[in-house]
Amino acid sequence: MNKGSLDPPELNKDLSEPVSVPDSAMDRAVEIMRSGRLFRYGEFKGGSSEVAALEREFADYMACRYAVAMNSCGSTMFVALKCAGVQPGDKVLVNAFTLAPVPGAIEHAGAQAVFVQCRDACRVDLEDLEHKARAGAKAFLMSHMRGHIADMDVVTDICGRHGVVLIEDCAHTMGAKWDGRPSGSFGAMACFSLQTFKHVNAGEGGILITDDEDMAAQAILYSGSYMLYAQNGTAPAEQVFERHKYMTPNFSMRMQELTAALARPQIAMLDDRAAHWRERYDLLAGLFSEIPRVEIPQRPDKEEFVPSSIQFSLTGLEATVIDEVLEACGNRGVDIKWFGRPTPAGFTSTWEHWNYVGESQPLPETARMIAALCDMRIPLELTVQECHLIADILGDAVRQLGRKFQ
Ligand SMILES: *Cc1c(COP(=O)(O)O)cnc(C)c1O
């Protein structure tokens, strides 16, 4: 039976494939394990910490003064809110369309999440931001969700005029820029993730950056430095710690040495990875945009993004049809996520599922955007040929099912 030749071709690539860890990182990790020194702080006789080296290297990469490594981006967001002076009950603005750890960090700080609408291309709606900042909020925890960067000139202007502390969630924008300036350099603080599916894969991990010495000292103390805070790779001067050291609880959110060993060589690889991802994205975006009903979000010229995923809307299709289109893609090996799915699956919960924040907030623009929004991960190793096959598979599924339901 020559069955294979009649079947439409399938993608033989796992789209969830992470970036691999470089050999030099593994060698260093093994060395550290042999030494047994897995904890970043110690009453060392000589020797220096791997985490401290990562902090120095990341601060250099971002051209900022301070970097504080922790155990996750979620931890850095929580600590950033504390450093911004957020008190229980304070309002914190946050994109309505973001990942669950972001409102989670706000809840962790005891604050009240106020969702800002998102519309085209996942970006925050600037009019709604103006409106909600004017009504009063302590901070804006801004997600550059799926790597889409809103107009940062307008965002910083709004936050500045209303006295709202801007904290950037750069989990999807490591290495990205807005108008030539690094994403993460616009807010008082910025938070990065080293989780497996982000741009640098250390399994878990987060880095908070800032140029503010008081915020840096507090972040180091909150993260769990004990009185060994001077061992941070970019620690501010002793007198800055004097202002905070007996007033700042230890939340025990440190990064361990192995994490830093895995991450360090990858920081140096970021720009090459970014260029490669961008090439694949541009190819996929071009191919997808030729498929009927598939709409690729416009990207402003000022946005230099690092796309480890691609977003598109399936327009003018009923929810049941979207479901079938994506199922047809899945049957041929192309796994596409749909944020509009009524019950959350995998990573795709939305604000409608975060009932712990209290009274539900009406967000019609966001609901409209999310209803049609699909998302596909772009593994770094995806080949040109595989990009063409993926576009063929999506195109077949839309054409066949779109026709059936007309
Ligand atoms: C992954 C992610 C985070 C949280 O990162 P962790 O390191 O997993 O805590 C925050 N924001 C966004 C948008 C993310 O995708």
Side-chain angles (χ1 to χ4, degrees):
M1 293 279 284
N2 189 11
K3 179 172 171 293
S5 63
L6 295 173
D7 282 343
E10 287 180 17
L11 180 73
N12 283 315
K13 168 80 136 213
D14 182 351
L15 290 177
S16 74
E17 183 186 275
V19 291
S20 60
V21 172
D23 286 349
S24 61
M26 290 191 242
D27 294 345
R28 183 70 189 123
V30 169
E31 229 173 80
I32 291 170
M33 284 189 279
R34 287 224 168 83
S35 77
R37 292 202 178 271
L38 297 164
F39 187 62
R40 70 167 298 177
Y41 293 111
E43 286 150 333
F44 298 115
K45 298 202 171 54
S48 73
S49 137
E50 197 73 15
V51 180
L54 172 67
E55 286 165 338
R56 279 190 295 274
E57 286 162 8
F58 195 66
D60 269 358
Y61 178 78
M62 291 302 300
C64 66
R65 291 177 72 190
Y66 307 109
V68 186
M70 294 183 217
N71 58 355
S72 75
C73 176
S75 296
T76 61
M77 291 187 291
F78 161 66
V79 165
L81 292 167
K82 300 296 289 180
C83 296
V86 169
Q87 299 292 322
D90 280 353
K91 285 185 177 152
V92 173
L93 307 179
V94 60
N95 309 38
F97 178 54
T98 184
L99 210 74
V102 185
I106 297 171
E107 184 73 12
H108 193 178
Q112 175 64 51
V114 176
F115 296 120
V116 181
Q117 300 255 21
C118 297
R119 2 174 134 216
D120 54 301
C122 315
R123 272 179 265 274
V124 81
D125 180 299
L126 298 169
E127 266 174 50
D128 199 41
L129 177 64
E130 169 77 44
H131 175 70
K132 286 171 178 159
R134 189 183 306 136
K138 180 74 191 172
F140 175 26
L141 182 50
M142 179 189 194
S143 259
H144 304 300
M145 182 58 171
R146 308 315 280 155
H148 296 263
I149 306 174
D151 189 324
M152 294 311 292
D153 306 316
V154 179
V155 170
T156 47
D157 174 61
I158 293 173
C159 291
R161 275 189 289 108
H162 298 292
V164 173
V165 182
L166 177 62
I167 301 166
E168 295 179 74
D169 164 19
C170 298
H172 298 161
T173 54
M174 194 186 276
K177 294 192 172 106
W178 173 263
D179 203 12
R181 233 177 102 180
S183 175
S185 68
F186 293 88
M189 286 165 279
C191 302
F192 294 84
S193 177
L194 307 179
Q195 191 247 68
T196 288
F197 298 112
K198 314 297 162 105
H199 301 104
V200 161
N201 176 11
E204 288 270 21
I207 307 179
L208 180 155
I209 64 164
T210 182
D211 281 333
D212 183 293
E213 60 183 17
D214 286 282
M215 289 175 181
Q218 288 176 86
I220 292 167
L221 292 163
Y222 278 131
S223 75
S225 64
Y226 302 89
M227 290 301 144
L228 300 166
Y229 45 76
Q231 290 177 16
N232 178 281
T234 58
E238 176 66 29
Q239 72 264 24
V240 185
F241 288 98
E242 292 299 329
R243 297 200 278 274
H244 302 288
K245 67 185 191 185
Y246 302 132
M247 287 305 293
T248 310
N250 173 332
F251 290 131
S252 237
M253 292 174 160
R254 290 167 302 270
M255 179 181 284
Q256 65 143 323
E257 294 283 89
L258 286 180
T259 306
L262 301 186
R264 281 181 65 200
Q266 297 184 61
I267 304 294
M269 299 163 84
L270 259 173
D271 291 347
D272 283 345
R273 282 183 185 175
H276 191 79
W277 257 316
R278 184 62 193 266
E279 243 173 59
R280 291 297 176 266
Y281 177 94
D282 288 344
L283 174 58
L284 284 166
L287 294 168
F288 282 12
S289 61
E290 286 164 21
I291 302 170
R293 299 184 183 281
V294 171
E295 221 168 77
I296 302 284
Q298 293 286 322
R299 318 252 358 194
D301 291 341
K302 287 185 179 177
E303 189 193 27
E304 256 178 73
F305 53 106
V306 184
S308 56
S309 62
I310 181 166
Q311 290 68 49
F312 59 91
S313 303
L314 281 175
T315 58
L317 294 176
E318 297 283 324
T320 49
V321 183
I322 295 181
D323 214 17
E324 294 202 33
V325 167
L326 300 186
E327 197 187 317
C329 292
N331 290 339
R332 290 177 65 189
V334 177
D335 176 35
I336 295 171
K337 294 185 181 66
W338 174 33
F339 284 97
R341 195 177 292 286
T343 38
F347 298 106
T348 62
S349 72
T350 71
W351 89 94
E352 290 181 305
H353 311 113
W354 304 329
N355 294 332
Y356 57 81
V357 303
E359 226 170 279
S360 90
Q361 303 171 28
L363 300 159
E365 294 296 339
T366 319
R368 221 182 334 270
M369 181 200 73
I370 285 181
L373 187 67
C374 299
D375 184 288
M376 192 191 84
R377 197 163 170 276
I378 307 177
L380 193 61
E381 307 296 333
L382 199 67
T383 66
V384 168
Q385 202 184 3
E386 285 163 342
C387 290
H388 282 274
L389 179 56
I390 289 168
D392 288 346
I393 289 171
L394 177 62
D396 286 353
V398 172
R399 286 188 190 95
Q400 277 166 22
L401 285 149
R403 196 176 305 128
K404 188 168 121 197
F405 287 88
Q406 246 157 26

